[in-house]
Amino acid sequence: MKRFAMLFAAALIGAAPSMPSIAREAPAAGYAVGAQYDTTHVYVAPEDFDRFVASFVATFGGTTSKQGVFQVTPTPSQTLSQLILTPAGTVSVFGFKTPIPSPFGQERTGYLVRDLDAAVAAAMKHGATRLVTSFPDPIGRDALVQWPGGVNMQLYWHTATPHYAALATVPENRVYLTPDAADAFVKSWLGFSRGRIVSDEKATPGAAIGQPGKTYRRIRITSGYGRMVVIVSDGQLPWPYARDTTGYAVTDLGATLARANAAGAEVLVPAQADGDRQTAIVRFPGGYIAEIHSGAAR
């Protein structure tokens, strides 16, 4: 089993020296390792797996790990698994060949941490609930947590230290909440991530989330885990808004959308102005929906 784990690690992230034991006291940046190690989790049907991977790489560029079939949950299951490393963000793709054990498939992201037990304890201290207690996987350990407002995330740690190139642009974790939960979520996330609020716009024009004539609150946050935008509205959102859990920053939105379209993706919301940005929403083969934007990073 140990040999299998190391072989899988080498296939996924490349051979690397063992990670030394890290002190339980979090450094100034918390337990984050870096934005390039934070992955959006994408679940697609096995028959759509290769089409999605090819389309995503054609749109954003980058490379992939070797595809394989693994058990990545604490209870019996089998999934196709592959990592996509693009200059605009990292994606973990899963194509389950068996039924997906609950609550897997409901988590939006996986965040690499320096010390899993300490990071989970810190998350709980700041208001998170454990959905799945820590468990081993073929290349390390994982846990699933839920933040106020029902925001699910995976925290993970690798047995072998990964070494990924820095991102050209850092994606945004896009969190849609109502006023009932927004402040509690932001307080919890800032406490855990040791991040800071970049901007808190109380009355952003609602056209950007399909609500022309209304306004919403938009909170932008940065931390060692990358960027986050918290979108606070009445929740009365037309499709596909709130299905986009990640926003990808690119230098040329028009060219990116053209590549996406040529690679089989569908533009659900055409490019539109949103303050100092141009934004669009795209659905890739297999159903994954993403926001893509260009313009000033804030």
Side-chain angles (χ1 to χ4, degrees):
M1 180 62 187
K2 289 183 178 179
R3 182 174 181 271
F4 169 76
M6 292 308 297
L7 286 173
F8 177 66
L12 189 61
I13 59 176
S18 295
M19 179 178 286
S21 177
I22 296 177
R24 307 292 275 188
E25 182 179 354
Y31 297 101
V33 179
Q36 68 268 41
Y37 303 102
D38 304 333
T39 66
T40 295
H41 285 194
V42 175
Y43 288 73
V44 295
E47 59 269 26
D48 294 325
F49 195 100
D50 291 336
R51 288 197 309 129
F52 167 73
V53 172
S55 179
F56 200 82
V57 172
T59 299
F60 294 107
T63 61
T64 65
S65 68
K66 184 178 179 180
Q67 184 185 125
V69 178
F70 308 102
Q71 179 174 323
V72 298
T73 63
T75 54
S77 67
Q78 290 286 292
T79 182
L80 286 167
S81 182
Q82 192 166 25
L83 194 67
I84 306 177
L85 298 156
T86 85
T90 307
V91 174
S92 291
V93 191
F94 303 101
F96 271 80
K97 293 176 170 290
T98 59
I100 305 172
S102 178
F104 295 90
Q106 300 171 33
E107 78 284 0
R108 59 178 47 239
T109 47
Y111 285 131
L112 181 64
V113 294
R114 301 174 186 276
D115 182 318
L116 182 65
D117 294 329
V120 170
M124 294 172 64
K125 175 183 175 181
H126 290 288
T129 300
R130 288 179 297 177
L131 294 178
V132 179
T133 59
S134 61
F135 63 93
D137 71 12
I139 59 172
R141 296 173 63 224
D142 310 82
L144 265 63
V145 300
Q146 183 176 84
W147 301 96
V151 180
N152 295 355
M153 298 180 184
Q154 184 167 357
L155 303 177
Y156 70 97
W157 173 84
H158 277 336
T159 304
T161 308
H163 298 284
Y164 302 163
L167 299 174
T169 58
V170 177
E172 290 177 338
N173 191 332
R174 293 172 63 82
V175 179
Y176 287 80
L177 294 171
T178 65
D180 297 345
D183 287 335
F185 170 78
V186 169
K187 180 181 178 181
S188 291
W189 179 250
L190 290 176
F192 168 74
S193 68
R194 304 194 180 186
R196 64 180 179 86
I197 293 177
V198 177
S199 63
D200 186 350
E201 302 162 274
K202 307 292 187 183
T204 306
I209 57 170
Q211 291 187 324
K214 293 184 178 182
T215 62
Y216 71 99
R217 181 184 178 193
R218 180 169 59 196
I219 308 165
R220 287 191 168 123
I221 297 170
T222 187
S223 73
Y225 297 97
R227 299 180 184 275
M228 177 180 287
V229 57
V230 182
I231 297 163
V232 188
S233 75
D234 58 13
Q236 300 174 20
L237 301 170
W239 189 86
Y241 297 99
R243 296 295 182 185
D244 51 312
T245 57
T246 301
Y248 298 93
V250 297
T251 55
D252 188 328
L253 180 59
T256 302
L257 295 179
R259 289 194 299 271
N261 186 65
E266 177 186 2
V267 178
L268 300 177
V269 178
Q272 62 179 329
D274 179 16
D276 54 5
R277 294 180 173 184
Q278 288 285 317
T279 73
I281 296 180
V282 171
R283 178 170 57 189
F284 288 92
Y288 173 59
I289 295 174
E291 189 262 9
I292 307 175
H293 60 268
S294 63
R298 300 171 59 186

